Amino acid sequence: MRWIRTLSGIGAIVAFAVALNLIIFNEDITVMVLRALGAAVLLGIVWLVLYLFSLLGRSAKDSVPYGLNAVIASIAVLSIAVTLYAYVKRMDVSWDLTQEGRQELSSQTRLVLQSLTEPVEAYCVFVKSADSSVVLAQEKTQRFLERCQQYTDHLSITVLDPQKDPLQTEALDVLRVKNVGTVVLKSGDRKKEIPLTKVTSRLEERDFTNVLINVSRKEVQKVYFLDGHGGRNIDDEEIELGGHLLKENVLMRESYEVAKLLITSELPAVPEDCSVLFINGYQEDLKQYELDALDQYIEDGGRLLCLIEPSIRDASVPTEERLRPWLENRFGIEVYEDLIVSPLMQGVDVAFVSDFTIPQLEGFEDKAPNAMEFRGSYHSTHPITRTLDDIKMEMSQVRTVALAEILPEGVVGTTLLRTTPDTWGETDIAGLVEGKTPAPDGYERRGPNPVAVAVTVKTDRATMSGSRSRDGRVVVIGDADFVSNKNMGISYNTDLILNTVAWLTENADLIAIRPRTGEPVLSLS
C-alpha cells in the first residue's frame, strides 16, 4: 500500500510539472495541458486518501499532532491544484511566450475587428487526425478566433468536419481541405479561404487580418501608379530596382486593387475610380497636361502620394522642371535639390548606397518651436506616424522635403518625418560623385531635416452624403528606395507606406502596427 501511495504522490508532481512545461512549449492552454493537470489532481487525491488510511494504524499519541499537520498541508496543496485546474479550465487569457508576440493581437487587428458593422462568419473546416501536431494547430487556430471574438459582436465561429458535414462544406465551395484544414471567412457574398498546413502550423494573424479586411469591405479601393516616367516598375521582380513586392505582398494583401496609369494628351485625366495616385519615383519630369490632370484630380478631392528621389543633374544641360515647382506653388511643399548626409555615416560613395536610418530617439532635444510635436524623428500625433513608436526605418538617398513658412490658402500641412540633428542637406551632389568629402555650408539646411510631409487641401467637392466637402490630400516623401523589393522586407518601411495609403483613403482602422510573422516578407540569399 505504501508504494502505491509513494508512486501516486510522485506521479502527481510529475504530471503537474509536465502540464507547466506543455504550457510553455505549446504557447497555449491545450487539451494536453488540461489532461496533465487532471492527472495531477487525480493522483493527488489518490495519494491523500492512502495517506489518511495510513494514519489510522498509528498510535493516537504519535499520529494526531503530526497527522493533523500533514492532513492540513495536503488539503492545502490539493486545493491549490484544484483551484489552478479550475482557473486554467475557465480562464480566457493566455501568456505571450513567443518572440513575435503571437498571443497578443496587434493594434491593427483589434481596430479592424472593432470597426466591423456587418456579420462575419468564420468556418473552421478541420480534418480529423490522430497526428498530435495537427490537433495542436487546430486548437490554436480555434483559440485565436475565440480571442478575436472579444473585440467584436459580429464574428461567429463554426467548426466543420468535412466527413461529417459534407453538405455544409460543399455549400462553402471549399477548394483546399488538406493536412490541417482550412479557415473560410464569409461576409455577405464575399468569401475567402485561408488554407492551413503542417508548414504554417496554424492560422497566422497577418493572414487572418488581411482576409478579414478583404471580406468585410464592400468597396474595393484602387491604387494607380503613374507610368511613363521611368519610375520603379511594380511588375519588376529585380531585387534592387523592382517594385513588385510593394504591389503584390503589400498593397494587394491589404485588399487594394493596383493598376498602372498612363495620362495622355488625348485623355488628360485621372480615372474616377482612383483612390490614390502613386508617383513611385521618376526619371523624366511630368508634362504640363499631366500636371493639369493632377491639379483637377486634387481639386475633385483626389489623393496623391509622391516618392521623390534625390537627382543627379548635369548643370550644362538645361532642363525644365515641372513637378517640384507645382508641389511648391500649389501646396507649399518644398522639395530640395540636395542629399541628406551625416558625419556618422560610413562615407557616401558615388552610388549613395550608405543607409540612412530614421530612429525614434530617447532624449532627442530640439529647441525648435514645434519640438513638442515630435517623438524623436516621428510626428507624435499625425495618424500616419503616431503608431510608429520605438522603431527604426531604413532609407537611403534621402532628400529634404519641407513645408513653406506660409502655406497657400486652404492648405494645412504636417511634417511627418525628420532626421537627427547631426545631418544636413548637401547640395554639392556633383562633388560627392567626384569623391569629395562632404561638409556643411552656411546656406545648406541643417538638421533635423524634414523628409516627409502631408497636406490637406480644402476643395468644393462634396462627399456622397453632402454633409461636408471632400478634402484633397497629398503626401510627399524624399525617398523612393525604401519601397523597393529589397527594402519591402523591412516591416516598418511597410508600415509607413501602408499607414500613408490608409490615411489618404481615410481607412483609419488600417493605420496601425501590423501583425508580424516569424518570416520576413522578402528573404535575400
Side-chain angles (χ1 to χ4, degrees):
M1 185 69 70
R2 185 174 182 179
W3 66 271
I4 297 178
R5 185 185 70 195
T6 302
L7 288 178
S8 61
I10 295 174
I13 296 173
V14 171
F16 185 70
V18 168
L20 294 180
N21 280 275
L22 284 174
I23 292 174
I24 297 174
F25 178 77
N26 294 328
E27 307 165 4
D28 212 340
I29 305 300
T30 63
V31 172
M32 289 185 289
V33 173
L34 296 177
R35 287 175 179 172
L37 286 174
V41 172
L42 180 61
L43 290 171
I45 292 174
V46 171
W47 175 84
L48 180 60
V49 170
L50 293 177
Y51 182 77
L52 291 174
F53 271 110
S54 69
L55 294 179
L56 298 177
R58 298 183 181 180
S59 63
K61 181 179 179 181
D62 294 335
S63 64
V64 171
Y66 172 78
L68 184 60
N69 290 334
V71 169
I72 292 174
S74 301
I75 293 175
V77 172
L78 183 60
S79 298
I80 292 173
V82 172
T83 301
L84 179 62
Y85 176 83
Y87 173 73
V88 170
K89 181 71 175 178
R90 291 180 174 271
M91 75 176 182
D92 199 20
V93 297
S94 55
W95 293 289
D96 186 359
L97 302 170
T98 64
Q99 185 176 2
E100 310 109 44
R102 292 178 179 176
Q103 299 300 337
E104 182 179 354
L105 298 183
S106 72
S107 58
Q108 187 202 22
T109 301
R110 296 195 300 269
L111 285 170
V112 173
L113 289 166
Q114 291 165 352
S115 68
L116 291 177
T117 58
E118 299 293 333
V120 176
E121 301 167 288
Y123 294 92
C124 302
V125 185
F126 287 159
V127 178
K128 293 297 181 182
S129 174
D131 189 334
S132 59
S133 63
V134 171
V135 175
L136 180 61
Q138 294 173 348
E139 290 177 350
K140 288 181 177 180
T141 296
Q142 190 170 347
R143 285 187 62 83
F144 169 77
L145 292 172
E146 291 171 353
R147 191 175 305 117
C148 292
Q149 283 184 311
Q150 299 174 15
Y151 297 95
T152 180
D153 296 327
H154 297 287
L155 178 65
S156 62
I157 304 172
T158 303
V159 180
L160 298 177
D161 183 340
Q163 294 179 336
K164 293 182 178 179
D165 307 295
L167 295 180
Q168 283 186 278
T169 305
E170 185 178 350
L172 288 174
D173 193 23
V174 177
L175 301 176
R176 296 167 286 184
V177 182
K178 59 181 182 179
N179 294 332
V180 181
T182 190
V183 174
V184 180
L185 293 187
K186 188 173 183 296
S187 181
D189 58 354
R190 297 176 65 86
K191 174 181 72 71
K192 198 164 184 180
E193 294 180 38
I194 311 173
L196 306 177
T197 67
K198 290 183 179 179
V199 176
T200 58
S201 176
R202 60 178 170 185
L203 178 62
E204 290 289 353
E205 182 181 351
R206 184 182 66 178
D207 296 333
F208 169 80
T209 304
N210 289 332
V211 172
L212 180 61
I213 293 170
N214 186 285
V215 301
S216 62
R217 296 198 176 281
K218 297 180 180 178
E219 178 184 358
V220 177
Q221 293 174 315
K222 197 165 186 178
V223 177
Y224 280 93
F225 283 77
L226 187 63
D227 201 12
H229 297 277
R232 195 174 304 281
N233 189 347
I234 57 173
D235 294 323
D236 189 351
E237 298 185 8
E238 202 276 329
I239 295 298
E240 296 287 344
L241 301 177
H244 90 285
L245 287 182
L246 171 62
K247 171 188 173 183
E248 297 179 8
N249 284 25
V250 178
L251 293 173
M252 292 179 65
R253 291 192 68 165
E254 201 91 351
S255 303
Y256 294 103
E257 286 189 9
V258 180
K260 293 180 179 179
L261 172 64
L262 184 63
I263 300 176
T264 64
S265 57
E266 292 79 12
L267 187 61
V270 177
E272 292 186 359
D273 65 345
C274 178
S275 301
V276 175
L277 181 59
F278 201 130
I279 299 178
N280 192 14
Y282 66 96
Q283 296 178 5
E284 298 177 7
D285 213 336
L286 277 65
K287 304 292 191 297
Q288 187 58 49
Y289 64 79
E290 292 177 299
L291 291 179
D292 293 340
L294 294 187
D295 205 44
Q296 185 60 50
Y297 172 64
I298 297 298
E299 190 61 33
D300 289 337
R303 311 300 167 89
L304 177 65
L305 172 56
C306 297
L307 308 185
I308 306 180
E309 290 268 64
S311 60
I312 303 175
R313 295 172 50 190
D314 188 346
S316 65
V317 181
T319 58
E320 181 183 358
E321 283 199 276
R322 296 185 183 90
L323 180 59
R324 291 200 305 135
W326 177 73
L327 290 171
E328 182 175 355
N329 296 330
R330 183 69 176 84
F331 311 111
I333 300 174
E334 300 174 343
V335 181
Y336 284 51
E337 194 162 359
D338 64 6
L339 176 71
I340 295 177
V341 295
S342 166
L344 299 180
M345 290 181 176
Q346 297 297 320
V348 182
D349 61 20
V350 294
F352 308 121
V353 296
S354 298
D355 285 338
F356 181 80
T357 301
I358 297 179
Q360 194 293 103
L361 296 175
E362 294 183 5
F364 191 144
E365 296 184 0
D366 190 353
K367 305 299 184 181
N370 62 347
M372 296 303 294
E373 297 178 5
F374 288 87
R375 183 186 61 259
S377 291
Y378 304 93
H379 196 276
S380 59
T381 59
H382 196 280
I384 292 177
T385 52
R386 66 187 175 196
T387 58
L388 302 180
D389 189 15
D390 194 25
I391 66 173
K392 290 184 178 180
M393 193 171 301
E394 294 186 14
M395 293 183 173
S396 61
Q397 302 186 43
V398 188
R399 73 194 306 169
T400 302
V401 178
L403 293 172
E405 292 186 8
I406 301 177
L407 297 178
E409 184 178 357
V411 176
V412 178
T414 303
T415 298
L416 301 175
L417 298 174
R418 62 179 187 170
T419 65
T420 51
D422 62 289
T423 60
W424 74 92
E426 179 60 52
T427 58
D428 185 15
I429 299 179
L432 294 176
V433 174
E434 296 171 0
K436 294 181 180 179
T437 302
D441 296 315
Y443 57 86
E444 292 174 332
R445 182 152 181 162
R446 303 295 296 269
N449 288 66
V451 296
V453 300
V455 301
T456 58
V457 185
K458 181 177 176 56
T459 71
D460 296 327
R461 172 70 177 270
T463 60
M464 293 183 64
S465 63
S467 59
R468 62 178 178 84
S469 63
R470 173 181 167 86
D471 293 336
R473 294 187 176 186
V474 179
V475 174
V476 179
I477 302 175
D479 180 40
D481 288 337
F482 79 100
V483 296
S484 66
N485 289 337
K486 177 181 179 180
N487 292 321
M488 277 291 90
I490 302 170
S491 59
Y492 296 116
N493 287 6
T494 302
D495 283 330
L496 173 63
I497 203 66
L498 284 177
N499 282 4
T500 300
V501 175
W503 179 74
L504 289 170
T505 57
E506 299 185 76
N507 287 322
D509 54 335
L510 303 187
I511 299 177
I513 296 297
R514 284 154 183 82
R516 310 289 179 217
T517 63
E519 309 300 330
V521 177
L522 175 64
S523 178
L524 300 176
S525 57

